[in-house]
Amino acid sequence: MATSSPHLSEDLFSDASQHWDLDRLCADLATIKQRPLTVTERACLRGLLCSINPNDIAAALHRQPQGLRVDLTRGLYRYVEGVSCGAKPKNWREVPILLSQNGYRKQTRPVALPLPSDRPIPQSPISMHHDWGNAPDVSIFFGRSHELKQLQQWIVKDQCQIVAIWGMQGMGKTRLSVKLAMGNIGKTELSLQVAQGVQEQFEFVIWRSLYNAPSLKDLLIGWLKGLSGQQEFTAPKDIKTAIHQLISYLKSHRCLLILDNVERILQPESATGQYLAGYEEYGQLFQQIGTIPHQSCLLLTSRETLHEVVQLENKTSVRSLALQGLDIEAGKQIFAEIGNFSATESEWQQIVELYNGNPLALELIAKHIEYVFDGNITDFLQEGTPLFLDRMLLF
Ligand SMILES: Nc1ncnc2c1ncn2[C@@H]1O[C@H](COP(=O)(O)OP(=O)(O)OP(=O)(O)O)[C@@H](O)[C@H]1O
Ligand SMILES: [Mg+2]
């Protein structure tokens, strides 16, 4: 890791000290390293503990992102592995998870959660309640400041119980929901609260995808296990009891449940949002989360709209956002991530609009233009046979 720069102070990412036993952690990491951590390493560590991605840490330290990532891999990640019984962080997001599992997070959990039956629950050995499962990396993320503000308003200020993001394939629903919840907006002009991510407002955050169409029973058991922190978990006897227990948690604790790919339990292209056979009970879950008063939020993404959400919208604390494409500037940034492209301003506008600002389509077409037209957007547009969106997105 590079030597510390003179302007660096211990104030950078100082929030980490509120939740982490930094002195003990730095001492243990120094033992693994066999030398004290540098000021830069300590700043990176604090940043990672605040769930700030390496690109934003690099910006704050005036470092090149690539160089900082290499330093992290060669240095801090190895020391973290050393204090985590050999468990290696696969990416930056795993650093706080591993350190939490190894007891470096301060014990802030107030009390054990009462089950609806008032049965006492043993304390979880993991005091961090944010479970991001297989959520994708969102360190590369452009635009969407209006959408982030709107969603933040619904979730944090209005305390909506269900917030849905609808949109066609590749429109960026998943990335937007993760970015919203995780934060680290970096250089945009959003409020500090958005920059921290709405996760800071919640005691529990659990991210799950319905991509493999799990049964409602399996989903509920997973949620209840996560919310109860129980090592030995007794599954509720039926779906009704499980939903009842879940709602009890949503009432007694502020939880953010994120459910991705909800369209996977719906009949394909069903205009009325009908469930696949065997998945109809999901409707009861959404209906109850939307109507029974509680202090939590279910944030969901789907290609198709959900009947229950549409019906409850605006009458209750249920809201939805129909996600549109990226603006021209964000579209240009997607191209810039892929290579060097040349185009006039009006051609940039033309190409982003041609693909409705769909980020996945823009990524695919940028790769095509780079490969076939050597990055010349003018030539691609003049060719007169643009690839059509529906043919590109065939999965
Ligand atoms: N704001 C963004 N900035 C940069 N890239 C983005 C952004 N949003 C989405 N992308 C890119 O577009 C692709 C599709 O995004 P995402 O998976 O979030 O779409 P989706 O709407 O959830 O699609 P699906 O309906 O298939 O689940 C991803 O590869 C991601 O890299
Ligand atoms: Mg998605």
Side-chain angles (χ1 to χ4, degrees):
M1 175 94 34
T3 48
S4 50
S5 47
H7 61 270
L8 254 183
S9 85
E10 297 290 331
D11 291 341
L12 194 60
F13 312 127
S14 59
D15 281 359
S17 62
Q18 285 174 23
H19 304 290
W20 297 89
D21 190 347
L22 277 181
D23 290 342
R24 187 165 59 88
L25 175 56
C26 287
D28 289 356
L29 293 173
T31 307
I32 302 290
K33 184 185 172 189
Q34 298 182 331
R35 278 195 310 280
L37 298 189
T38 63
V39 178
T40 307
E41 283 172 331
R42 285 208 304 274
C44 288
L45 176 67
R46 291 194 301 273
L48 294 171
L49 295 177
C50 292
S51 298
I52 296 182
N53 75 56
N55 288 352
D56 291 340
I57 295 176
L61 296 176
H62 307 288
R63 294 276 318 273
Q64 289 299 322
Q66 188 57 30
L68 186 104
R69 279 178 188 274
V70 171
D71 284 350
L72 287 173
T73 308
R74 289 189 186 149
L76 214 43
Y77 291 176
R78 284 200 298 116
Y79 316 144
V80 168
E81 182 184 347
V83 299
S84 305
C85 312
K88 202 175 183 152
K90 287 194 221 61
N91 54 43
W92 61 273
R93 233 187 280 125
E94 284 199 0
V95 170
I97 296 172
L98 285 174
L99 293 175
S100 173
Q101 286 170 346
N102 285 282
Y104 290 102
R105 197 174 161 94
K106 286 182 183 166
Q107 299 292 316
T108 50
R109 190 173 189 162
V111 281
L113 302 179
L115 269 176
S117 62
D118 290 335
R119 195 147 41 90
I121 295 172
Q123 286 276 321
S124 161
I126 300 170
S127 56
M128 190 176 186
H129 314 303
H130 293 189
D131 169 3
W132 283 100
N134 294 324
D137 181 30
V138 285
S139 49
I140 295 175
F141 186 88
F142 308 119
R144 300 294 192 206
S145 54
H146 294 303
E147 291 90 342
L148 286 163
K149 266 188 184 162
Q150 176 65 86
L151 292 165
Q152 191 221 9
Q153 152 108 18
W154 287 338
I155 295 175
V156 177
K157 189 152 178 279
D158 304 346
Q159 306 221 337
C160 285
Q161 297 184 189
I162 298 184
V163 171
I165 303 174
W166 317 127
M168 70 174 292
Q169 180 190 353
M171 199 48 105
K173 303 175 293 295
T174 301
R175 296 311 195 277
L176 177 63
S177 64
V178 174
K179 193 73 185 175
L180 167 77
M182 275 190 181
N184 311 326
I185 306 301
K187 298 166 203 125
T188 67
E189 291 172 358
L190 295 171
S191 71
L192 184 63
Q193 216 167 33
V194 177
Q196 288 170 341
V198 301
Q199 67 172 338
E200 299 298 321
Q201 310 290 316
F202 290 88
E203 197 175 340
F204 291 87
V205 177
I206 305 180
W207 187 94
R208 289 291 176 269
S209 168
L210 296 188
Y211 191 81
N212 292 323
S215 68
L216 178 58
K217 186 172 165 228
D218 286 350
L219 177 78
L220 286 167
I221 288 177
W223 274 346
L224 290 170
K225 267 188 190 164
L227 295 171
S228 70
Q230 283 178 297
Q231 297 290 296
E232 309 231 336
F233 177 80
T234 316
K237 63 179 185 335
D238 54 27
I239 294 283
K240 200 169 154 225
T241 316
I243 294 181
H244 179 73
Q245 287 189 1
L246 176 74
I247 300 279
S248 295
Y249 286 127
L250 302 186
K251 284 181 180 174
S252 56
H253 293 268
R254 189 137 161 78
C255 315
L256 176 63
L257 303 178
I258 307 171
L259 214 44
D260 198 33
N261 300 111
V262 173
E263 75 281 349
R264 301 289 292 198
I265 55 160
L266 300 176
Q267 290 184 15
E269 298 182 16
S270 127
T272 50
Q274 280 179 335
Y275 292 93
L276 289 175
Y279 289 84
E280 296 84 355
E281 281 173 313
Y282 267 93
Q284 285 177 36
L285 172 78
F286 298 131
Q287 180 76 22
Q288 295 197 33
I289 294 182
T291 51
I292 300 174
H294 56 75
Q295 55 166 327
S296 299
C297 178
L298 173 67
L299 172 63
L300 53 89
T301 83
S302 175
R303 294 183 192 176
E304 316 281 342
T305 56
L306 272 182
H307 171 70
E308 290 78 10
V309 172
V310 173
Q311 281 218 323
L312 293 171
E313 210 177 337
N314 298 323
K315 285 179 236 144
T316 55
S317 55
V318 173
R319 298 285 180 277
S320 72
L321 175 79
L323 190 59
Q324 307 300 316
L326 294 176
D327 60 23
I328 314 285
E329 281 314 307
K332 279 187 193 173
Q333 286 173 292
I334 294 222
F335 274 77
E337 272 298 312
I338 286 166
N340 288 324
F341 292 88
S342 57
T344 63
E345 260 322 292
S346 82
E347 285 166 345
W348 276 117
Q349 179 164 355
Q350 216 181 321
I351 191 123
V352 174
E353 285 175 0
L354 188 59
Y355 294 99
N356 296 333
N358 182 305
L360 177 60
L362 292 174
E363 281 177 357
L364 295 174
I365 205 63
K367 284 179 189 156
H368 174 75
I369 296 172
E370 187 183 45
Y371 186 66
V372 180
F373 295 91
D374 201 21
N376 190 321
I377 294 176
T378 314
D379 288 354
F380 168 74
L381 289 170
Q382 282 172 358
E383 181 95 339
T385 51
L387 300 178
F388 289 107
L389 197 56
D390 54 351
R391 297 226 188 114
M392 288 165 68
L393 307 178
L394 280 179
F395 49 90

